[in-house]
PDB file of all heavy atoms in Angstrom:
ATOM      1  N   GLN A 248       0.834  -1.207   0.000  1.00 98.00           N
ATOM      2  CA  GLN A 248       0.000   0.000   0.000  1.00 98.00           C
ATOM      3  C   GLN A 248       0.865   1.253   0.000  1.00 98.00           C
ATOM      4  O   GLN A 248       1.827   1.359   0.744  1.00 98.00           O
ATOM      5  CB  GLN A 248      -0.921  -0.013   1.219  1.00 98.00           C
ATOM      6  CG  GLN A 248      -1.870   1.178   1.298  1.00 98.00           C
ATOM      7  CD  GLN A 248      -2.844   1.049   2.465  1.00 98.00           C
ATOM      8  OE1 GLN A 248      -3.149  -0.055   2.920  1.00 98.00           O
ATOM      9  NE2 GLN A 248      -3.340   2.180   2.938  1.00 98.00           N
ATOM     10  N   ARG A 249       0.500   2.226  -0.853  1.00 98.00           N
ATOM     11  CA  ARG A 249       1.199   3.507  -0.867  1.00 98.00           C
ATOM     12  C   ARG A 249       0.587   4.408   0.209  1.00 98.00           C
ATOM     13  O   ARG A 249      -0.635   4.471   0.356  1.00 98.00           O
ATOM     14  CB  ARG A 249       1.091   4.171  -2.239  1.00 98.00           C
ATOM     15  CG  ARG A 249       1.562   5.618  -2.258  1.00 98.00           C
ATOM     16  CD  ARG A 249       1.918   6.108  -3.628  1.00 98.00           C
ATOM     17  NE  ARG A 249       3.180   5.513  -4.078  1.00 98.00           N
ATOM     18  CZ  ARG A 249       4.375   5.950  -3.672  1.00 98.00           C
ATOM     19  NH1 ARG A 249       4.474   6.960  -2.824  1.00 98.00           N
ATOM     20  NH2 ARG A 249       5.466   5.375  -4.111  1.00 98.00           N
ATOM     21  N   VAL A 250       1.462   5.083   0.960  1.00 98.00           N
ATOM     22  CA  VAL A 250       1.008   6.006   2.001  1.00 98.00           C
ATOM     23  C   VAL A 250       1.694   7.350   1.807  1.00 98.00           C
ATOM     24  O   VAL A 250       2.819   7.431   1.302  1.00 98.00           O
ATOM     25  CB  VAL A 250       1.310   5.459   3.416  1.00 98.00           C
ATOM     26  CG1 VAL A 250       0.438   4.267   3.740  1.00 98.00           C
ATOM     27  CG2 VAL A 250       2.788   5.128   3.587  1.00 98.00           C
ATOM     28  N   SER A 251       0.997   8.376   2.222  1.00 98.00           N
ATOM     29  CA  SER A 251       1.557   9.722   2.244  1.00 98.00           C
ATOM     30  C   SER A 251       1.796  10.118   3.692  1.00 98.00           C
ATOM     31  O   SER A 251       1.180   9.563   4.617  1.00 98.00           O
ATOM     32  CB  SER A 251       0.597  10.719   1.587  1.00 98.00           C
ATOM     33  OG  SER A 251       0.386  10.390   0.230  1.00 98.00           O
ATOM     34  N   ARG A 252       2.696  11.071   3.891  1.00 98.00           N
ATOM     35  CA  ARG A 252       2.947  11.567   5.240  1.00 98.00           C
ATOM     36  C   ARG A 252       1.618  11.966   5.884  1.00 98.00           C
ATOM     37  O   ARG A 252       0.817  12.691   5.304  1.00 98.00           O
ATOM     38  CB  ARG A 252       3.872  12.785   5.188  1.00 98.00           C
ATOM     39  CG  ARG A 252       5.320  12.469   4.875  1.00 98.00           C
ATOM     40  CD  ARG A 252       6.116  13.726   4.586  1.00 98.00           C
ATOM     41  NE  ARG A 252       5.572  14.406   3.422  1.00 98.00           N
ATOM     42  CZ  ARG A 252       5.201  15.677   3.409  1.00 98.00           C
ATOM     43  NH1 ARG A 252       5.304  16.424   4.482  1.00 98.00           N
ATOM     44  NH2 ARG A 252       4.722  16.220   2.299  1.00 98.00           N
ATOM     45  N   GLY A 253       1.392  11.462   7.100  1.00 98.00           N
ATOM     46  CA  GLY A 253       0.176  11.806   7.826  1.00 98.00           C
ATOM     47  C   GLY A 253      -0.966  10.840   7.644  1.00 98.00           C
ATOM     48  O   GLY A 253      -1.965  10.925   8.375  1.00 98.00           O
ATOM     49  N   ASP A 254      -0.874   9.911   6.703  1.00 98.00           N
ATOM     50  CA  ASP A 254      -1.939   8.913   6.549  1.00 98.00           C
ATOM     51  C   ASP A 254      -1.955   7.986   7.762  1.00 98.00           C
ATOM     52  O   ASP A 254      -0.900   7.573   8.263  1.00 98.00           O
ATOM     53  CB  ASP A 254      -1.717   8.059   5.295  1.00 98.00           C
ATOM     54  CG  ASP A 254      -2.020   8.798   4.009  1.00 98.00           C
ATOM     55  OD1 ASP A 254      -2.532   9.930   4.080  1.00 98.00           O
ATOM     56  OD2 ASP A 254      -1.731   8.232   2.930  1.00 98.00           O
ATOM     57  N   GLN A 255      -3.161   7.610   8.208  1.00 98.00           N
ATOM     58  CA  GLN A 255      -3.263   6.660   9.316  1.00 98.00           C
ATOM     59  C   GLN A 255      -2.722   5.301   8.897  1.00 98.00           C
ATOM     60  O   GLN A 255      -3.018   4.808   7.807  1.00 98.00           O
ATOM     61  CB  GLN A 255      -4.705   6.507   9.773  1.00 98.00           C
ATOM     62  CG  GLN A 255      -4.861   5.503  10.925  1.00 98.00           C
ATOM     63  CD  GLN A 255      -6.286   5.298  11.349  1.00 98.00           C
ATOM     64  OE1 GLN A 255      -6.934   6.224  11.803  1.00 98.00           O
ATOM     65  NE2 GLN A 255      -6.792   4.070  11.193  1.00 98.00           N
ATOM     66  N   ILE A 256      -1.929   4.685   9.801  1.00 98.00           N
ATOM     67  CA  ILE A 256      -1.436   3.328   9.530  1.00 98.00           C
ATOM     68  C   ILE A 256      -1.785   2.348  10.653  1.00 98.00           C
ATOM     69  O   ILE A 256      -1.521   1.156  10.535  1.00 98.00           O
ATOM     70  CB  ILE A 256       0.086   3.313   9.271  1.00 98.00           C
ATOM     71  CG1 ILE A 256       0.861   3.878  10.462  1.00 98.00           C
ATOM     72  CG2 ILE A 256       0.414   4.085   8.004  1.00 98.00           C
ATOM     73  CD1 ILE A 256       2.383   3.783  10.284  1.00 98.00           C
ATOM     74  N   GLY A 257      -2.377   2.836  11.758  1.00 97.00           N
ATOM     75  CA  GLY A 257      -2.760   1.926  12.836  1.00 97.00           C
ATOM     76  C   GLY A 257      -3.127   2.679  14.093  1.00 97.00           C
ATOM     77  O   GLY A 257      -3.216   3.916  14.095  1.00 97.00           O
ATOM     78  N   MET A 258      -3.328   1.922  15.194  1.00 95.00           N
ATOM     79  CA  MET A 258      -3.727   2.554  16.460  1.00 95.00           C
ATOM     80  C   MET A 258      -3.497   1.598  17.636  1.00 95.00           C
ATOM     81  O   MET A 258      -3.410   0.384  17.471  1.00 95.00           O
ATOM     82  CB  MET A 258      -5.188   2.974  16.414  1.00 95.00           C
ATOM     83  CG  MET A 258      -6.182   1.821  16.426  1.00 95.00           C
ATOM     84  SD  MET A 258      -7.878   2.330  16.045  1.00 95.00           S
ATOM     85  CE  MET A 258      -7.806   2.400  14.246  1.00 95.00           C
ATOM     86  N   PHE A 259      -3.400   2.208  18.832  1.00 92.00           N
ATOM     87  CA  PHE A 259      -3.433   1.466  20.092  1.00 92.00           C
ATOM     88  C   PHE A 259      -4.869   1.443  20.600  1.00 92.00           C
ATOM     89  O   PHE A 259      -5.621   2.400  20.406  1.00 92.00           O
ATOM     90  CB  PHE A 259      -2.574   2.146  21.161  1.00 92.00           C
ATOM     91  CG  PHE A 259      -1.101   2.128  20.888  1.00 92.00           C
ATOM     92  CD1 PHE A 259      -0.396   3.319  20.724  1.00 92.00           C
ATOM     93  CD2 PHE A 259      -0.398   0.937  20.824  1.00 92.00           C
ATOM     94  CE1 PHE A 259       0.970   3.316  20.494  1.00 92.00           C
ATOM     95  CE2 PHE A 259       0.964   0.914  20.590  1.00 92.00           C
ATOM     96  CZ  PHE A 259       1.654   2.112  20.424  1.00 92.00           C
ATOM     97  N   HIS A 260      -5.238   0.367  21.287  1.00 88.00           N
ATOM     98  CA  HIS A 260      -6.545   0.285  21.941  1.00 88.00           C
ATOM     99  C   HIS A 260      -6.362   0.179  23.456  1.00 88.00           C
ATOM    100  O   HIS A 260      -5.413  -0.409  23.946  1.00 88.00           O
ATOM    101  CB  HIS A 260      -7.308  -0.947  21.441  1.00 88.00           C
ATOM    102  CG  HIS A 260      -7.736  -0.859  20.017  1.00 88.00           C
ATOM    103  ND1 HIS A 260      -8.925  -0.282  19.617  1.00 88.00           N
ATOM    104  CD2 HIS A 260      -7.127  -1.264  18.871  1.00 88.00           C
ATOM    105  CE1 HIS A 260      -9.029  -0.344  18.295  1.00 88.00           C
ATOM    106  NE2 HIS A 260      -7.950  -0.941  17.827  1.00 88.00           N
ATOM    107  N   PHE A 261      -7.325   0.738  24.175  1.00 75.00           N
ATOM    108  CA  PHE A 261      -7.461   0.655  25.635  1.00 75.00           C
ATOM    109  C   PHE A 261      -6.150   0.739  26.409  1.00 75.00           C
ATOM    110  O   PHE A 261      -5.900  -0.004  27.334  1.00 75.00           O
ATOM    111  CB  PHE A 261      -8.281  -0.581  26.054  1.00 75.00           C
ATOM    112  CG  PHE A 261      -7.718  -1.930  25.676  1.00 75.00           C
ATOM    113  CD1 PHE A 261      -6.876  -2.619  26.534  1.00 75.00           C
ATOM    114  CD2 PHE A 261      -8.050  -2.529  24.481  1.00 75.00           C
ATOM    115  CE1 PHE A 261      -6.378  -3.869  26.202  1.00 75.00           C
ATOM    116  CE2 PHE A 261      -7.566  -3.777  24.135  1.00 75.00           C
ATOM    117  CZ  PHE A 261      -6.727  -4.448  25.003  1.00 75.00           C
ATOM    118  N   GLY A 262      -5.325   1.696  26.101  1.00 65.00           N
ATOM    119  CA  GLY A 262      -4.107   1.886  26.889  1.00 65.00           C
ATOM    120  C   GLY A 262      -3.157   2.836  26.209  1.00 65.00           C
ATOM    121  O   GLY A 262      -3.469   3.412  25.188  1.00 65.00           O
ATOM    122  N   GLY A 263      -2.003   3.000  26.761  1.00 61.00           N
ATOM    123  CA  GLY A 263      -1.026   3.926  26.200  1.00 61.00           C
ATOM    124  C   GLY A 263       0.264   3.218  25.904  1.00 61.00           C
ATOM    125  O   GLY A 263       0.394   2.042  26.173  1.00 61.00           O
ATOM    126  N   SER A 264       1.213   3.913  25.323  1.00 82.00           N
ATOM    127  CA  SER A 264       2.380   3.183  24.911  1.00 82.00           C
ATOM    128  C   SER A 264       3.511   4.080  24.471  1.00 82.00           C
ATOM    129  O   SER A 264       3.556   5.263  24.771  1.00 82.00           O
ATOM    130  CB  SER A 264       2.007   2.219  23.798  1.00 82.00           C
ATOM    131  OG  SER A 264       2.915   1.155  23.765  1.00 82.00           O
ATOM    132  N   THR A 265       4.418   3.472  23.722  1.00 88.00           N
ATOM    133  CA  THR A 265       5.605   4.136  23.234  1.00 88.00           C
ATOM    134  C   THR A 265       5.827   3.673  21.794  1.00 88.00           C
ATOM    135  O   THR A 265       5.208   2.715  21.344  1.00 88.00           O
ATOM    136  CB  THR A 265       6.815   3.777  24.127  1.00 88.00           C
ATOM    137  OG1 THR A 265       7.951   4.553  23.761  1.00 88.00           O
ATOM    138  CG2 THR A 265       7.170   2.307  24.026  1.00 88.00           C
ATOM    139  N   HIS A 266       6.673   4.381  21.047  1.00 93.00           N
ATOM    140  CA  HIS A 266       6.938   3.950  19.677  1.00 93.00           C
ATOM    141  C   HIS A 266       8.337   4.361  19.259  1.00 93.00           C
ATOM    142  O   HIS A 266       8.918   5.297  19.810  1.00 93.00           O
ATOM    143  CB  HIS A 266       5.906   4.503  18.696  1.00 93.00           C
ATOM    144  CG  HIS A 266       6.131   5.937  18.319  1.00 93.00           C
ATOM    145  ND1 HIS A 266       5.892   6.969  19.183  1.00 93.00           N
ATOM    146  CD2 HIS A 266       6.595   6.503  17.168  1.00 93.00           C
ATOM    147  CE1 HIS A 266       6.179   8.113  18.576  1.00 93.00           C
ATOM    148  NE2 HIS A 266       6.610   7.864  17.348  1.00 93.00           N
ATOM    149  N   CYS A 267       8.880   3.640  18.276  1.00 95.00           N
ATOM    150  CA  CYS A 267      10.215   3.924  17.745  1.00 95.00           C
ATOM    151  C   CYS A 267      10.154   4.103  16.233  1.00 95.00           C
ATOM    152  O   CYS A 267       9.368   3.442  15.552  1.00 95.00           O
ATOM    153  CB  CYS A 267      11.182   2.772  18.050  1.00 95.00           C
ATOM    154  SG  CYS A 267      11.578   2.567  19.791  1.00 95.00           S
ATOM    155  N   LEU A 268      11.008   4.986  15.738  1.00 97.00           N
ATOM    156  CA  LEU A 268      11.303   5.095  14.315  1.00 97.00           C
ATOM    157  C   LEU A 268      12.747   4.656  14.144  1.00 97.00           C
ATOM    158  O   LEU A 268      13.636   5.140  14.853  1.00 97.00           O
ATOM    159  CB  LEU A 268      11.115   6.529  13.820  1.00 97.00           C
ATOM    160  CG  LEU A 268       9.713   7.135  13.995  1.00 97.00           C
ATOM    161  CD1 LEU A 268       9.692   8.565  13.455  1.00 97.00           C
ATOM    162  CD2 LEU A 268       8.652   6.285  13.299  1.00 97.00           C
ATOM    163  N   VAL A 269      12.988   3.730  13.209  1.00 97.00           N
ATOM    164  CA  VAL A 269      14.315   3.132  13.044  1.00 97.00           C
ATOM    165  C   VAL A 269      14.826   3.435  11.635  1.00 97.00           C
ATOM    166  O   VAL A 269      14.100   3.249  10.646  1.00 97.00           O
ATOM    167  CB  VAL A 269      14.252   1.603  13.262  1.00 97.00           C
ATOM    168  CG1 VAL A 269      15.650   1.009  13.264  1.00 97.00           C
ATOM    169  CG2 VAL A 269      13.524   1.269  14.574  1.00 97.00           C
ATOM    170  N   PHE A 270      16.087   3.885  11.562  1.00 97.00           N
ATOM    171  CA  PHE A 270      16.672   4.292  10.291  1.00 97.00           C
ATOM    172  C   PHE A 270      17.987   3.554  10.050  1.00 97.00           C
ATOM    173  O   PHE A 270      18.699   3.193  10.989  1.00 97.00           O
ATOM    174  CB  PHE A 270      16.921   5.799  10.273  1.00 97.00           C
ATOM    175  CG  PHE A 270      15.684   6.608  10.536  1.00 97.00           C
ATOM    176  CD1 PHE A 270      15.340   6.971  11.838  1.00 97.00           C
ATOM    177  CD2 PHE A 270      14.857   6.991   9.500  1.00 97.00           C
ATOM    178  CE1 PHE A 270      14.192   7.709  12.095  1.00 97.00           C
ATOM    179  CE2 PHE A 270      13.698   7.729   9.741  1.00 97.00           C
ATOM    180  CZ  PHE A 270      13.364   8.084  11.037  1.00 97.00           C
ATOM    181  N   GLN A 271      18.313   3.356   8.785  1.00 97.00           N
ATOM    182  CA  GLN A 271      19.545   2.675   8.424  1.00 97.00           C
ATOM    183  C   GLN A 271      20.762   3.565   8.681  1.00 97.00           C
ATOM    184  O   GLN A 271      20.638   4.793   8.758  1.00 97.00           O
ATOM    185  CB  GLN A 271      19.507   2.284   6.943  1.00 97.00           C
ATOM    186  CG  GLN A 271      18.441   1.261   6.607  1.00 97.00           C
ATOM    187  CD  GLN A 271      18.509   0.826   5.163  1.00 97.00           C
ATOM    188  OE1 GLN A 271      19.492   0.213   4.740  1.00 97.00           O
ATOM    189  NE2 GLN A 271      17.468   1.131   4.394  1.00 97.00           N
ATOM    190  N   PRO A 272      21.947   2.950   8.823  1.00 96.00           N
ATOM    191  CA  PRO A 272      23.161   3.753   8.989  1.00 96.00           C
ATOM    192  C   PRO A 272      23.352   4.653   7.771  1.00 96.00           C
ATOM    193  O   PRO A 272      23.025   4.279   6.642  1.00 96.00           O
ATOM    194  CB  PRO A 272      24.277   2.707   9.106  1.00 96.00           C
ATOM    195  CG  PRO A 272      23.712   1.469   8.505  1.00 96.00           C
ATOM    196  CD  PRO A 272      22.244   1.509   8.782  1.00 96.00           C
ATOM    197  N   GLY A 273      23.873   5.844   8.013  1.00 94.00           N
ATOM    198  CA  GLY A 273      24.069   6.806   6.926  1.00 94.00           C
ATOM    199  C   GLY A 273      22.944   7.801   6.806  1.00 94.00           C
ATOM    200  O   GLY A 273      23.089   8.829   6.142  1.00 94.00           O
ATOM    201  N   VAL A 274      21.790   7.521   7.458  1.00 96.00           N
ATOM    202  CA  VAL A 274      20.686   8.482   7.464  1.00 96.00           C
ATOM    203  C   VAL A 274      20.923   9.436   8.641  1.00 96.00           C
ATOM    204  O   VAL A 274      20.788   9.051   9.804  1.00 96.00           O
ATOM    205  CB  VAL A 274      19.323   7.777   7.605  1.00 96.00           C
ATOM    206  CG1 VAL A 274      18.205   8.812   7.672  1.00 96.00           C
ATOM    207  CG2 VAL A 274      19.099   6.808   6.462  1.00 96.00           C
ATOM    208  N   GLU A 275      21.281  10.655   8.320  1.00 93.00           N
ATOM    209  CA  GLU A 275      21.578  11.653   9.354  1.00 93.00           C
ATOM    210  C   GLU A 275      20.416  12.632   9.431  1.00 93.00           C
ATOM    211  O   GLU A 275      20.070  13.280   8.439  1.00 93.00           O
ATOM    212  CB  GLU A 275      22.877  12.388   9.036  1.00 93.00           C
ATOM    213  CG  GLU A 275      23.322  13.336  10.137  1.00 93.00           C
ATOM    214  CD  GLU A 275      24.651  13.993   9.844  1.00 93.00           C
ATOM    215  OE1 GLU A 275      25.370  13.524   8.939  1.00 93.00           O
ATOM    216  OE2 GLU A 275      24.976  14.986  10.533  1.00 93.00           O
ATOM    217  N   LEU A 276      19.836  12.732  10.597  1.00 95.00           N
ATOM    218  CA  LEU A 276      18.641  13.549  10.776  1.00 95.00           C
ATOM    219  C   LEU A 276      18.941  14.822  11.564  1.00 95.00           C
ATOM    220  O   LEU A 276      19.737  14.806  12.505  1.00 95.00           O
ATOM    221  CB  LEU A 276      17.559  12.749  11.503  1.00 95.00           C
ATOM    222  CG  LEU A 276      17.085  11.467  10.809  1.00 95.00           C
ATOM    223  CD1 LEU A 276      16.121  10.705  11.706  1.00 95.00           C
ATOM    224  CD2 LEU A 276      16.427  11.784   9.466  1.00 95.00           C
ATOM    225  N   GLU A 277      18.263  15.881  11.187  1.00 95.00           N
ATOM    226  CA  GLU A 277      18.326  17.132  11.946  1.00 95.00           C
ATOM    227  C   GLU A 277      16.927  17.379  12.500  1.00 95.00           C
ATOM    228  O   GLU A 277      15.999  17.713  11.756  1.00 95.00           O
ATOM    229  CB  GLU A 277      18.760  18.291  11.047  1.00 95.00           C
ATOM    230  CG  GLU A 277      18.937  19.598  11.810  1.00 95.00           C
ATOM    231  CD  GLU A 277      19.529  20.681  10.932  1.00 95.00           C
ATOM    232  OE1 GLU A 277      20.584  20.440  10.308  1.00 95.00           O
ATOM    233  OE2 GLU A 277      18.911  21.765  10.861  1.00 95.00           O
ATOM    234  N   PHE A 278      16.790  17.184  13.794  1.00 95.00           N
ATOM    235  CA  PHE A 278      15.468  17.235  14.409  1.00 95.00           C
ATOM    236  C   PHE A 278      14.989  18.672  14.614  1.00 95.00           C
ATOM    237  O   PHE A 278      15.771  19.569  14.924  1.00 95.00           O
ATOM    238  CB  PHE A 278      15.471  16.488  15.749  1.00 95.00           C
ATOM    239  CG  PHE A 278      15.369  15.007  15.591  1.00 95.00           C
ATOM    240  CD1 PHE A 278      16.506  14.225  15.403  1.00 95.00           C
ATOM    241  CD2 PHE A 278      14.134  14.378  15.595  1.00 95.00           C
ATOM    242  CE1 PHE A 278      16.409  12.863  15.233  1.00 95.00           C
ATOM    243  CE2 PHE A 278      14.023  13.010  15.425  1.00 95.00           C
ATOM    244  CZ  PHE A 278      15.169  12.248  15.245  1.00 95.00           C
ATOM    245  N   GLN A 279      13.692  18.835  14.462  1.00 93.00           N
ATOM    246  CA  GLN A 279      13.058  20.122  14.690  1.00 93.00           C
ATOM    247  C   GLN A 279      12.336  20.148  16.033  1.00 93.00           C
ATOM    248  O   GLN A 279      11.589  21.070  16.327  1.00 93.00           O
ATOM    249  CB  GLN A 279      12.103  20.429  13.534  1.00 93.00           C
ATOM    250  CG  GLN A 279      12.847  20.533  12.201  1.00 93.00           C
ATOM    251  CD  GLN A 279      11.918  20.724  11.024  1.00 93.00           C
ATOM    252  OE1 GLN A 279      10.893  21.381  11.133  1.00 93.00           O
ATOM    253  NE2 GLN A 279      12.280  20.163   9.884  1.00 93.00           N
ATOM    254  N   VAL A 280      12.555  19.093  16.830  1.00 92.00           N
ATOM    255  CA  VAL A 280      12.034  19.024  18.200  1.00 92.00           C
ATOM    256  C   VAL A 280      13.202  18.659  19.108  1.00 92.00           C
ATOM    257  O   VAL A 280      14.197  18.093  18.645  1.00 92.00           O
ATOM    258  CB  VAL A 280      10.913  17.963  18.325  1.00 92.00           C
ATOM    259  CG1 VAL A 280       9.760  18.306  17.394  1.00 92.00           C
ATOM    260  CG2 VAL A 280      11.440  16.564  18.030  1.00 92.00           C
ATOM    261  N   PRO A 281      13.123  18.978  20.404  1.00 89.00           N
ATOM    262  CA  PRO A 281      14.230  18.645  21.309  1.00 89.00           C
ATOM    263  C   PRO A 281      14.403  17.137  21.450  1.00 89.00           C
ATOM    264  O   PRO A 281      13.450  16.420  21.729  1.00 89.00           O
ATOM    265  CB  PRO A 281      13.790  19.265  22.648  1.00 89.00           C
ATOM    266  CG  PRO A 281      12.746  20.272  22.287  1.00 89.00           C
ATOM    267  CD  PRO A 281      12.061  19.735  21.077  1.00 89.00           C
ATOM    268  N   VAL A 282      15.622  16.646  21.225  1.00 90.00           N
ATOM    269  CA  VAL A 282      15.917  15.228  21.416  1.00 90.00           C
ATOM    270  C   VAL A 282      17.184  15.090  22.245  1.00 90.00           C
ATOM    271  O   VAL A 282      17.981  16.008  22.346  1.00 90.00           O
ATOM    272  CB  VAL A 282      16.104  14.479  20.073  1.00 90.00           C
ATOM    273  CG1 VAL A 282      14.815  14.463  19.283  1.00 90.00           C
ATOM    274  CG2 VAL A 282      17.223  15.095  19.250  1.00 90.00           C
ATOM    275  N   SER A 283      17.339  13.919  22.868  1.00 85.00           N
ATOM    276  CA  SER A 283      18.491  13.641  23.710  1.00 85.00           C
ATOM    277  C   SER A 283      18.953  12.221  23.456  1.00 85.00           C
ATOM    278  O   SER A 283      18.170  11.373  23.004  1.00 85.00           O
ATOM    279  CB  SER A 283      18.124  13.813  25.189  1.00 85.00           C
ATOM    280  OG  SER A 283      19.161  13.347  26.030  1.00 85.00           O
TER     281      SER A 283
END
């Protein structure tokens, strides 16, 4: 399936959680939010 930025891809039910985004080596990111 083709997706665009912001398209829904899933959800959590009845609780809360955490999530990760994983990138290959060589992908250097410049964040626009505070990260540590």
